Amino acid sequence: MTIREGGCLCGAVRFEVRGEPIVAGACYCRDCQYVSGGAAAYGMMFPADALTVKQGEMKAFTLKSDSGVDVYRHFCPQCGVHLISHNGAHPQFRAIKAGVLDDPSCFESEGSIWTSSAQPWHRIDPDLPSREKNPDIDPGTAN
Ligand SMILES: [Zn+2]
């Protein structure tokens, strides 16, 4: 079974995730733009029980989505890097940001979501499916 490791920028938080992602993609929602620094969030969705936090403890910032669901963004309290998010309506999933993996090159986008919130200067992959808003399972923030 594939085991991927990752962590935050300062190294306080370390995790591993087992198996292959259920889905992976880019989320262009406005909330992800804040967290990423302006870009889309590149996320890989796993079952919650595939994830093990091996070191450190994350804090969660919670914001209501458009549909009134709590979206939890888990971040390192030392360096502030957001690593993982989950949607209160789908607690069985965790979206892991590609950039916090030790080897982010394994990320393969299957599509784009929330393109209705994309900026004019974003480059949405024209060769992959895209949705203006949410899919049933959201690889980014589950807004
Ligand atoms: Zn950190």
Side-chain angles (χ1 to χ4, degrees):
M1 179 185 287
T2 304
I3 296 179
R4 296 178 174 91
E5 295 190 44
C8 64
L9 191 53
C10 76
V13 175
R14 295 290 302 165
F15 68 86
E16 72 172 31
V17 63
R18 295 169 300 282
E20 294 304 321
I22 300 164
V23 67
C27 179
Y28 287 88
C29 86
R30 189 69 186 94
D31 293 358
C32 276
Q33 294 173 28
Y34 276 95
V35 172
S36 73
Y42 299 95
M44 303 163 81
M45 180 79 80
F46 290 91
D49 60 9
L51 175 76
T52 303
V53 177
K54 297 165 75 179
Q55 180 185 300
E57 209 169 307
M58 289 175 280
K59 283 192 169 174
F61 170 67
T62 310
L63 202 61
K64 288 255 186 259
S65 72
D66 277 2
S67 50
V69 173
D70 284 331
V71 175
Y72 299 83
R73 294 172 179 272
H74 304 268
F75 64 96
C76 171
Q78 280 192 49
C79 67
V81 165
H82 286 242
L83 298 101
I84 292 158
S85 60
H86 82 273
N87 180 322
H90 302 288
Q92 70 273 36
F93 299 121
R94 293 289 181 276
I96 298 177
K97 293 217 160 64
V100 301
L101 295 172
D102 291 347
D103 179 12
S105 70
C106 66
F107 174 77
E108 275 185 70
S109 182
E110 297 168 49
S112 306
I113 58 171
W114 282 97
T115 57
S116 59
S117 301
Q119 300 304 319
W121 41 269
H122 282 146
R123 296 285 176 265
I124 298 166
D125 193 325
D127 299 325
L128 293 173
S130 66
R131 285 178 184 251
E132 288 193 355
K133 291 195 170 181
N134 231 13
D136 296 333
I137 296 176
D138 181 330
T141 61
N143 261 8

